[in-house]
Amino acid sequence: MGKQRTRISGSDPDAQKAENADAPRIPDLLARIAQLFQPHRRALAVTAVLAIISAGLSVLPPLLTRQAFDVGLFPASGRPDVPVLLEIVGLMIVIYVSSAGLGVWQTFLTATVGNRVMGALRVRLFGHLQKMELAFFTRTKTGIIQSRLQNDVGGVSSVLTNTVASVLGNTVTVAAAFVSMLVLSWQLTIVAVILMPILVIAQRRVGRVRAKIATKTQESLSDMTAITQETLSVSGILLAKSFNQQGTEVARYSDENDNQIRLQVREQMSGQWFFAMVQIFLAIIPAVIYICAAWLLFQNVAVTAGTIVAFTTVQARLMWPLLGLMRVALDLQTSQALFARIFEYLDLHPAISDAPNAHPVDPARLGRVEFDDVVFAYPDSGDGTPPTLKGVSFTIEPGQFAAFVGPSGAGKTTVSYLIPRFHEVTGGRILFAGDDVRQLEQDSLVANIGIVSQETYLFHATIAENLRYAKPGATDAELQQAARAANIHDTIASFPLGYDTVVGERGYRLSGGEKQRIAIARVLLKDPRVLILDEATSALDSLSERIVQDALDTASAGRTTIAIAHRLSTIVSADVIFVVDAGRIVEHGTHAELTAQGGVYARLYAQQVSQI
């Protein structure tokens, strides 16, 4: 299938459920977030103790301030008591220094725990995606998957790193400050907190608005990541340059970037009026306190100057913890969209997984491959679309070289994907070494199969590193042996850096034939008993094809080999040739037998011979 270059939504089909459903409730969200912190219970316990101590210490200075006024500066004797004042000031300095030191320690612990939790979440999500079936990746943009790992997990980093300490510390501070205010004057406390319920209601409404904007923001980020991944890859750049569409791609990225800017501004501004209102409210409280204190004095209620100063100091210290709690609540509401997207992927169940009673491949029967009335339709093919394979049956004996040929779109490559169970059959069964592949352990099944495809994928790494992907512990001698068998050792040795040569993105520093032979060497290093060649030479020129074909002949010796062939000249010596047409095996036999029959194969072969 060709790549779609049209503009589509950043939401993949599997994400629709999460993005269309109602956002999860805060308690449920907190429960799932709390599970992420389970491995760090000890560090969290220390953090909690530090937060409580810091919060407790933070409310002592205002109380000491009242003592400084009423006992040190303006005692009943009328003259300042300097020794007492020095003791109070010294104690206040000790408290400030201790609080600062505890704050640094607490910040280190929360940053360490939060980033480790975020890192573990990212690895957990990456590992879960590795288990997903191939169909998931064929229907989902790579950029969108990358966005889940980078943008979504990164977007909740502040919640993961700051939530625990902020909630504990600020809650204790607010509670202690409230108690201190009650001790100082319960009448003034009523005045100070009377409008708090209104702020809580406003905060919840702001949170819901920000959560909706956050969802749209992440969708836009997914689109931007997808555009970047598509257009800045080597293939994307070549396509854009070939059709002179660089300006179009820049415009497409610019449009989405403008959309992202608008959403970011909306998200940041959506709560500013609320926090401005809170700050104004908390800022004018001292002035109101002074008026109320004067009224209390007129009512003959004993209120000292130290009490008024201490009360306004406590109230001022209440401002930032209270704002902190409200910001955490807003962040949690805003992060619902991000956590929903992350947990939605984590909650996906791979369509293909090991059965409860799965067992390893029987090594004594390795090499035999059998299709028994196999029917297959791609999951996203849609209702009414005929299946790709319709009742396909064949048997390949150990050590045989079997070729599959036929018109484009007949289902040949699908056969090669079903053997290692990259897709699940819709009907019938596939037997590998005598067992249904659905009853085999996937790792064991794939370990015995090697695949060389038409589109060779090499990492942006050295040749040696690309080869060792098949066998991480391979020695240099093993690499060279595999490379010689693939007819590529001499070419590698001619490079200035030899096996340490970096191949470039997707191997673009190498020719097509060189890439293909390195891929063959990689498979030979794996040494599988069953080898699948999916049109491995169809994109090569005649000279490269002959060189690669020699390497393939060496690779297939002594193995069961299944070749998906476009050029029939490469499989004329096959032990058996299966002709696939419209999802069915219409002919099978040797090259001589099929050409003598004068059927589909004979016509295809005659057409190719006439074009030479």
Side-chain angles (χ1 to χ4, degrees):
M1 295 176 63
K3 290 184 178 180
Q4 293 291 332
R5 304 294 298 176
T6 54
R7 179 76 163 84
I8 67 172
S9 169
S11 301
D12 55 88
D14 292 293
Q16 289 295 331
K17 293 182 292 183
E19 292 170 353
N20 294 336
D22 292 335
R25 294 182 298 120
I26 288 290
D28 298 334
L29 192 62
L30 289 175
R32 297 200 70 171
I33 295 173
Q35 293 176 358
L36 302 175
F37 287 89
Q38 286 297 317
H40 307 280
R41 292 187 297 273
R42 291 184 179 179
L44 288 176
V46 175
T47 302
V49 171
L50 293 177
I52 292 172
I53 294 174
S54 297
L57 291 176
S58 68
V59 298
L60 292 179
L63 299 179
L64 292 174
T65 298
R66 181 175 69 171
Q67 293 299 104
F69 268 79
D70 294 344
V71 179
L73 290 173
F74 308 109
S77 62
R79 298 186 62 182
D81 190 335
V82 176
V84 171
L85 185 62
L86 290 175
E87 288 180 6
I88 294 173
V89 171
L91 184 57
M92 292 174 69
I93 292 174
V94 170
I95 290 174
Y96 287 135
V97 173
S98 300
S99 295
L102 292 174
V104 172
W105 189 7
Q106 179 183 320
T107 300
F108 170 76
L109 288 175
T110 55
T112 301
V113 171
N115 281 285
R116 285 180 177 173
V117 169
M118 183 177 65
L121 180 60
R122 183 179 285 118
V123 172
R124 178 182 168 192
L125 180 58
F126 182 85
H128 186 72
L129 288 171
Q130 287 284 334
K131 299 176 183 177
M132 295 303 296
E133 70 280 4
L134 184 62
F136 170 81
F137 298 95
T138 60
R139 66 176 179 263
T140 309
K141 281 186 174 183
T142 303
I144 292 175
I145 297 174
Q146 292 175 346
S147 181
R148 297 286 173 116
L149 286 167
Q150 298 170 7
N151 299 331
D152 293 0
V153 176
V156 299
S157 61
S158 62
V159 174
L160 293 176
T161 54
N162 300 327
T163 296
V164 175
S166 180
V167 169
L168 285 173
N170 289 330
T171 299
V172 173
T173 301
V174 169
F178 182 72
V179 171
S180 300
M181 290 165 64
L182 285 175
V183 171
L184 291 169
S185 173
W186 64 268
Q187 298 96 331
L188 296 179
T189 302
I190 293 175
V191 175
V193 301
I194 194 169
L195 294 179
M196 288 299 175
I198 298 176
L199 298 180
V200 173
I201 294 172
Q203 175 265 320
R204 293 188 64 183
R205 291 185 176 180
V206 171
R208 284 195 292 267
V209 172
R210 293 185 70 177
K212 292 179 181 178
I213 299 174
T215 299
K216 295 179 180 179
T217 301
Q218 292 309 118
E219 291 175 356
S220 175
L221 280 173
S222 293
D223 280 352
M224 290 186 69
T225 304
I227 293 171
T228 302
Q229 190 274 331
E230 287 178 351
T231 59
L232 294 185
S233 65
V234 174
S235 300
I237 286 292
L238 284 174
L239 182 65
K241 288 182 177 296
S242 299
F243 288 90
N244 197 27
Q245 291 295 317
Q246 298 97 316
T248 301
E249 296 296 352
V250 171
R252 187 159 70 108
Y253 188 84
S254 178
D255 289 344
E256 195 57 56
N257 184 60
D258 290 342
N259 184 40
Q260 178 66 205
I261 292 172
R262 287 192 295 269
L263 289 169
Q264 291 281 3
V265 171
R266 284 183 60 193
E267 184 175 345
Q268 293 176 21
M269 292 303 298
S270 60
Q272 292 306 307
W273 64 265
F274 167 73
F275 286 111
M277 182 178 67
V278 173
Q279 289 177 342
I280 292 172
F281 168 75
L282 294 175
I284 64 175
I285 285 294
V288 176
I289 294 300
Y290 298 147
I291 296 174
C292 292
W295 182 81
L296 289 175
L297 290 172
F298 278 117
Q299 300 298 320
N300 295 321
V301 176
V303 180
T304 66
T307 298
I308 297 174
V309 173
F311 191 93
T312 53
T313 303
V314 172
Q315 185 272 326
R317 295 188 69 85
L318 179 67
M319 174 179 176
W320 297 114
L322 191 61
L323 280 173
L325 285 176
M326 290 184 173
R327 288 188 183 278
V328 167
L330 272 180
D331 287 343
L332 284 175
Q333 285 182 275
T334 303
S335 298
Q336 285 184 79
L338 308 187
F339 278 113
R341 288 162 60 89
I342 295 169
F343 290 135
E344 188 268 338
Y345 261 24
L346 287 174
D347 292 340
L348 288 175
H349 295 289
I352 299 175
S353 58
D354 285 347
N357 58 342
H359 57 272
V361 173
D362 183 357
R365 296 189 291 176
L366 266 172
R368 182 183 176 90
V369 177
E370 182 179 355
F371 274 45
D372 182 13
D373 197 26
V374 170
V375 178
F376 176 75
Y378 284 96
D380 54 354
S381 57
D383 296 335
T385 303
T388 304
L389 298 181
K390 313 177 186 75
V392 172
S393 297
F394 61 81
T395 300
I396 302 173
E397 299 296 342
Q400 273 193 324
F401 187 112
F404 287 81
V405 302
S408 178
K412 305 184 298 297
T413 297
T414 300
V415 170
S416 69
Y417 283 169
L418 291 177
I419 296 172
R421 208 182 169 204
F422 291 160
H423 294 292
E424 199 79 283
V425 297
T426 307
R429 59 179 185 158
I430 298 173
L431 302 179
F432 187 88
D435 290 310
D436 191 321
V437 294
R438 290 170 292 194
Q439 299 302 317
L440 294 174
E441 295 175 356
Q442 287 181 283
D443 289 346
S444 178
L445 173 64
V446 175
N448 289 285
I449 299 174
I451 301 174
V452 180
S453 63
Q454 175 183 350
E455 186 178 354
T456 301
Y457 189 93
L458 298 179
F459 296 103
H460 186 37
T462 66
I463 294 174
E465 289 170 330
N466 273 283
L467 291 174
R468 285 196 174 96
Y469 192 73
K471 188 178 180 180
T475 64
D476 291 344
E478 288 175 317
L479 297 186
Q480 294 176 19
Q481 182 181 357
R484 284 191 175 93
N487 291 337
I488 190 63
H489 171 73
D490 291 341
T491 302
I492 296 174
S494 69
F495 298 151
L497 297 179
Y499 284 82
D500 291 327
T501 300
V502 176
V503 302
E505 182 71 18
R506 298 181 65 88
Y508 270 91
R509 292 184 180 178
L510 305 176
S511 69
E514 290 168 346
K515 287 192 297 183
Q516 201 68 301
R517 282 180 283 161
I518 288 176
I520 295 170
R522 185 166 57 189
V523 169
L524 289 174
L525 201 60
K526 181 180 180 181
D527 194 22
R529 292 293 300 274
V530 176
L531 182 62
I532 297 175
L533 309 175
D534 185 7
E535 301 194 23
T537 63
S538 63
L540 303 178
D541 58 71
S542 299
L543 178 60
S544 297
E545 180 187 359
R546 285 196 296 272
I547 298 174
V548 171
Q549 190 60 48
D550 289 341
L552 291 175
D553 292 341
T554 302
S556 60
R559 313 174 198 272
T560 300
T561 303
I562 300 168
I564 311 300
H566 173 71
R567 294 179 180 175
L568 303 187
S569 59
T570 63
I571 50 90
V572 292
S573 60
D575 297 315
V576 60
I577 300 172
F578 297 98
V579 183
V580 185
D581 191 15
R584 299 182 185 276
I585 302 291
V586 295
E587 296 173 357
H588 72 278
T590 64
H591 170 73
E593 291 170 346
L594 292 176
T595 52
Q597 290 178 14
V600 176
Y601 178 84
R603 290 194 298 271
L604 289 173
Y605 186 73
Q607 289 173 2
Q608 291 195 8
V609 170
S610 65
Q611 294 171 1
I612 297 177

